[in-house]
Amino acid sequence: MIAAVFIFGPVVQASAEEDYWPYSSNTYNYTNEEFEALAKTIDAEARGESLKGKIAVGNVIMNRVFVYNSSILAIVSASGQFNYSASRVPSAESYEAARYVLDSERWVVPQNCYYFKTSPSSTWSGNSSDPIRFWGKIGNHYFYVRKMDGRYNGYDVPAPMYSREYDSPRIGIIPSDEVILIQEYLIALGYELEGDGYFGELTDKAVKDFQDKNGLTVDGIVGDETFAILEEAAEATGLLVKPGDLAEPSVEVKTLLHVINNRKLLKDTINVPIIQVITVFRINETASRLRSEFGYRVDSVVLPRHEEPVYLVSGD
């Protein structure tokens, strides 16, 4: 059992709440049956298309799921809508496209794109009060957008997971040290996460749970208020240790860091006397690599004021 002890330098504050990327809400908790249904429908509608073309069809299906607050099975099995067959065996690329859509949240058409067909026209229907307009062509399919409540209604395509740019951390944002810091605060509070910098579903759930328990707006966004209260709560656990509180690194720590430097497991050589950051992610990752790849025995170290052993791995 590794006891998590976190050592921090200056805190990076979260900033304002404005989005740089178009509004994106593409997270869906799917079952294996729904994954299969999406892959089968993609295969039926776009088997001869490129991977991008297959993803586009998957996007249209999911856009309908989100805007109608429905399920994948309900959407693909609706009468007269898609060529879904439960007995169909999808190709490997159709499965891959379904993974891109559901796990990577990759969109290649806008979030208000709900229709496609194999022949072109400027509009889908003649209803001028509710037009369905042509957006673009991918492979042999022509895609159409429609303005509906509950989804982003512009022509822009959202960025996939972990490449979105927001002022304040939230699900799908580009991995960063700031996200690692947030994850470490949550870990100190007992949430089961990895401090890996990827703000995914587990981090989103942890943030929302923390917000709910602390009377904050439950939106999963770590703005200034959420960050400040999270930081205060994490510090109150006693697991956050400032560099000045540490004694001179022990022989075991120096030995471990020496091995790390020699094996070049981290991108920068570590200045042994200055231990600035320790993260659960780096502890687990480096200890595992030292054992499995190099057969090195990682010794435990007892820090001042902490009775349980911890493995020390310096950050960048």
Side-chain angles (χ1 to χ4, degrees), residues 30 32 35 38 94-105:
Y30 61 91
N32 186 63
F35 168 71
L38 181 62
S94 294
Y95 276 122
E96 184 181 5
R99 289 286 183 206
Y100 270 119
V101 172
L102 292 173
D103 294 340
S104 300
E105 297 184 20

Side-chain angles (χ1 to χ4, degrees), residues 10 43 89 109 117 174 242 245-246 250 302:
D43 196 76
V89 179
V109 297
K117 58 182 180 178
I174 297 170
K242 297 179 181 179
D245 293 338
L246 288 175
S250 65
V302 178

